[in-house]
Amino acid sequence: MSIALFDQTAKAMSKRLALNYSTSFSLGIRLLSNDYRWAVFAVYGFVRVADEIVDTFHGYDKKRLLADFQVQTYQAIEDGISTNPVLHAFQLAANQFGIGKDLIEPFFQSMEADLYATSHNESSYNEYIYGSAEVVGLMCLRIFCKGDQSLYDALLPYARSLGAAFQKVNFLRDIRSDVDERGRVYFPGVDFSRFTDQDKMAIIQDVKKDFDHAYEGIVKLPVGCRLGVYTAYIYYLKLLEKIQRSTAMEILESRIRIPNSQKLYLLAESVIRDKMMHGGSRVA
């Protein structure tokens, strides 16, 4: 028996992590072609475990667990194997598609920041978003470009904008749990004890700029990954629009969601609109 069965099982476990933790994000991944899908699931599984360490492993030594996970990550990539199935799947993707320490290190730096930081200034906010979200988008872009460095370089700024947009929407959606459960305030200069609709709209306008810029890159993606990325884009854009329609008080009191029935509608809408994206025409 060869290691192929272990490879297959490790990939399946990363996929299961995504399906269990995020129906919305995994919806977009499942629309990717087979060439990309397993590797993006592997990236998701990797970042999910790190995120769970800092957010839910209460009562354990989070700092040590995160440091151990980081060491194991680099060792898995160097060895080309890991007994940890999630890290084994990730190293397969990292080694095949060129996901290097230049992207992995900032990610761990942002995860470590969550162990200590309770608020951010403009500089640390941008640094955190880069490490926690933008580099994840760049990991996926490495996969989508399949070694085409010129395509990667051309699409890099757009991938960063999309990752930033997704993260900022998550921050808005999760304000209550971040403040009440984790004691974190990500947006610099915002006092959530006096959060107003004006504060909300200032943040939303900033996020919309990220979305507008990201769209310019989505239409340039390879066909096999464009629909999946576009579906995630549409989902988060609709979530932002729902947040915009909600009052500041509603955002503070409840987690804004998109119902599953509407997610299916957005999926169908994305499939139709994707067919209109050839030639770069604006569809959203």
Side-chain angles (χ1 to χ4, degrees):
M1 183 178 294
S2 71
I3 198 174
L5 179 59
F6 186 66
D7 291 349
Q8 178 183 354
T9 304
K11 293 174 182 178
M13 293 183 72
S14 290
K15 178 179 179 180
R16 175 46 55 192
L17 269 175
L19 296 177
N20 281 2
Y21 276 95
S22 176
T23 57
S24 54
F25 192 72
S26 60
L27 181 66
I29 301 178
R30 294 170 84 168
L31 293 173
L32 301 172
S33 70
N34 290 332
D35 292 344
Y36 309 110
R37 191 183 308 137
W38 74 267
V40 176
F41 272 130
V43 168
Y44 182 91
F46 162 70
V47 301
R48 183 75 261 167
V49 171
D51 197 55
E52 289 305 303
I53 290 173
V54 300
D55 277 355
T56 68
F57 285 16
H58 308 309
Y60 299 93
D61 188 343
K62 295 180 180 182
K63 181 180 179 180
R64 180 181 62 80
L65 289 172
L66 185 64
D68 287 347
F69 190 64
Q70 183 174 7
V71 170
Q72 292 170 34
T73 298
Y74 293 138
Q75 194 65 55
I77 295 172
E78 181 180 344
D79 293 345
I81 194 169
S82 175
T83 55
N84 179 328
V86 170
L87 288 181
H88 184 66
F90 180 67
Q91 70 80 19
L92 288 172
N95 283 316
Q96 179 172 335
F97 295 102
I99 299 171
K101 194 172 182 178
D102 60 315
L103 299 180
I104 300 171
E105 187 70 19
F107 170 73
F108 276 112
Q109 289 173 354
S110 286
M111 292 301 96
E112 186 177 6
D114 272 337
L115 297 177
Y116 308 106
T118 56
S119 62
H120 288 274
N121 57 34
E122 193 69 31
S123 176
S124 66
Y125 171 70
N126 291 328
E127 184 177 343
Y128 179 86
I129 288 178
Y130 176 73
S132 66
E134 293 180 26
V135 298
V136 178
L138 295 178
M139 291 178 193
C140 294
L141 185 61
R142 280 288 182 199
I143 295 166
F144 299 153
C145 292
K146 293 182 175 180
D148 186 336
Q149 186 65 39
S150 62
L151 181 61
Y152 177 83
D153 290 341
L155 295 179
L156 182 150
Y158 307 108
R160 288 188 60 177
S161 291
L162 188 61
F166 287 176
Q167 185 67 293
K168 291 171 186 177
V169 172
N170 286 339
F171 288 163
L172 279 169
R173 180 194 62 189
D174 298 333
I175 284 175
R176 180 179 180 182
S177 59
D178 282 335
V179 173
D180 293 347
E181 299 173 18
R182 304 178 186 101
R184 299 180 196 149
V185 176
Y186 287 106
F187 296 110
V190 176
D191 182 356
F192 287 106
S193 66
R194 296 180 292 178
F195 190 54
T196 66
D197 288 328
Q198 289 74 22
D199 293 327
K200 180 199 73 173
M201 286 308 303
I203 295 170
I204 287 175
Q205 291 305 316
D206 174 59
V207 181
K208 285 183 175 180
K209 292 177 183 177
D210 288 326
F211 273 118
D212 288 343
H213 185 242
Y215 181 87
E216 297 176 28
I218 292 174
V219 299
K220 300 174 184 177
L221 283 169
V223 173
C225 61
R226 190 179 59 214
L227 177 58
V229 176
Y230 181 64
T231 298
Y233 165 90
I234 286 294
Y235 168 77
Y236 271 91
L237 189 60
K238 296 298 182 183
L239 183 56
L240 182 66
E241 291 171 356
K242 188 169 184 179
I243 291 171
Q244 182 172 341
R245 294 192 299 269
S246 305
T247 66
M249 186 59 64
E250 288 171 335
I251 295 170
L252 289 174
E253 291 181 347
S254 62
R255 192 174 193 260
I256 307 299
R257 299 176 181 271
I258 299 291
N260 287 336
S261 58
Q262 190 174 351
K263 290 178 185 177
L264 294 175
Y265 172 80
L266 293 176
L267 170 60
E269 182 181 44
S270 295
V271 172
I272 295 171
R273 290 186 172 190
D274 179 67
K275 299 181 183 299
M276 302 169 58
M277 294 174 72
H278 296 285
S281 57
R282 179 76 187 198
V283 297

